[in-house]
Amino acid sequence: MENGKIAIPSNGQGGLDGTRAGHFGHCDVFTLVDVENGEIKEVSILQNQEHVQGGCMVPVNLLSDNSVNALIVGGIGMRPLMGFKQVGIDVYHDDQRAEIEPVVKDLIAGKLTEISNDQVCGGGGGQM
Amino acid sequence: MANILLVSQEKTVFKKIEPAFSKDKTTTQWVDSAQKALSTLSHKKFDLFIISEELPDMTGRKLIEKALFQDAMMNSVVLSQLPHKDFHEAYEGLGVLMQFPLEPGMQDIRNLMDHLDRIDKIAGETNSLKGEGN
């Protein structure tokens, strides 16, 4: 990624040195990373909203409204995945690492793959 | 304006909740198969679809999966007799709003409206802490 804004579902206060939340709909905050010319330009925090059954489109609209281009998840349900795709947010997958910074750097370097439709899970989340 | 698509083999399953759909600003359309539902969704936008779990040509779950490819923003409700826990397991990844009994009544509609209001309220409470850099 040369330019854009990356969102990472995060635990606690988030931030580049924080840890990723395994269930994106229930994460505490989203860590947002602005990328310019392939470099991290700014890191900010976006508070998540309450998650209720069927409320999968709330975080989709929240991230869309905040001009996010890419999301990194450990897992995701079919409806939010389709929602993100339909609002133009690319969804990338890493279910191995709990730390935020290395997956962000891998996305910028083009080393993360987009999640496929057959990798979706129930519950809108996944395990890392 | 709320557009609602009803999908069931027999229209009579919605008989008890018909009064809720006769209010202003609500339009409903009923179809008796999943294929007809998908065809309808391909050329008209709906806010909500209420579907039977068992349809003549497809399961309700499969219909929701296919419908999500067309419009993930549309909310869904499923008429199902699965135990609550089993229903939650089977459908949560698909973002189903609520489980209805096989023949829903007006209280089910009131519960649905309350749930939709709650989601609308949450969606309106954007609390951006943008700018708190790390």
Side-chain angles (χ1 to χ4, degrees):
Chain A
M1 171 185 274
E2 275 295 301
N3 297 290
K5 182 174 285 187
I6 305 167
I8 306 95
S10 309
N11 297 314
Q13 296 181 330
L16 262 191
D17 56 356
T19 58
R20 300 165 61 208
H23 192 305
F24 95 91
H26 289 269
C27 72
D28 298 315
V29 298
F30 291 96
T31 298
L32 303 183
V33 181
D34 284 292
V35 179
E36 281 186 19
N37 300 317
E39 301 285 339
I40 294 174
K41 180 78 173 178
E42 183 181 355
V43 178
S44 55
I45 306 300
L46 178 65
Q47 188 70 45
N48 192 16
Q49 293 160 319
E50 182 186 357
H51 180 76
V52 297
Q53 184 176 340
C56 315
M57 294 302 104
V58 172
V60 171
N61 290 323
L62 176 67
L63 297 184
S64 178
D65 289 346
N66 281 272
S67 304
V68 168
N69 307 102
L71 173 72
I72 306 172
V73 298
I76 192 168
M78 174 69 88
R79 187 180 179 200
L81 176 61
M82 290 299 112
F84 281 121
K85 286 186 174 183
Q86 288 166 20
V87 298
I89 296 176
D90 298 326
V91 182
Y92 292 85
H93 183 233
D94 182 296
D95 61 2
Q96 299 298 313
R97 292 169 292 183
E99 299 78 19
I100 290 172
E101 188 166 10
V103 295
V104 169
K105 288 185 172 176
D106 274 1
L107 175 54
I108 293 171
K111 294 178 181 175
L112 285 191
T113 56
E114 285 193 51
I115 193 166
S116 61
N117 294 343
D118 60 3
Q119 286 178 298
V120 296
C121 55
Q127 303 300 314
M128 282 181 287
Chain B
M1 174 70 76
N3 293 320
I4 303 172
L5 181 63
L6 307 171
V7 191
S8 63
Q9 193 164 4
E10 300 294 335
K11 193 177 182 180
T12 53
V13 301
F14 296 112
K15 190 175 181 180
K16 292 179 186 170
I17 58 175
E18 277 177 359
F21 302 142
S22 63
K23 294 179 179 176
D24 292 342
K25 298 182 180 178
T26 300
T27 65
T28 60
Q29 184 172 342
W30 172 77
V31 294
D32 63 2
S33 73
Q35 287 298 344
K36 287 179 185 174
L38 291 169
S39 174
T40 303
L41 292 170
S42 69
H43 63 263
K44 184 176 177 182
K45 186 170 177 60
F46 287 84
D47 304 293
L48 170 72
F49 73 156
I50 305 177
I51 68 171
S52 289
E53 187 167 42
E54 299 298 333
L55 294 164
D57 52 347
M58 198 181 294
T59 64
R61 180 183 170 85
K62 197 68 185 173
L63 170 57
I64 295 172
E65 286 179 6
K66 288 179 177 290
L68 287 174
F69 280 87
Q70 297 184 21
D71 182 8
M73 294 297 168
M74 182 177 65
N75 287 308
S76 60
V77 170
V78 180
L79 311 186
S80 168
Q81 57 185 354
L82 281 176
H84 178 73
K85 187 178 176 184
D86 293 343
F87 182 86
H88 190 75
E89 278 292 313
Y91 284 93
E92 194 189 1
L94 300 180
V96 173
L97 273 185
M98 190 171 280
Q99 177 183 8
F100 271 7
L102 296 184
E103 292 193 20
M106 290 301 287
Q107 185 58 48
D108 298 304
I109 291 292
R110 283 190 283 272
N111 292 342
L112 173 62
M113 293 300 113
D114 288 346
H115 195 68
L116 283 168
D117 284 346
R118 188 176 172 205
I119 291 174
D120 282 347
K121 187 178 177 187
I122 293 167
E125 290 175 351
T126 301
N127 181 20
S128 173
L129 299 179
K130 189 179 172 187
E132 293 189 2
N134 182 17

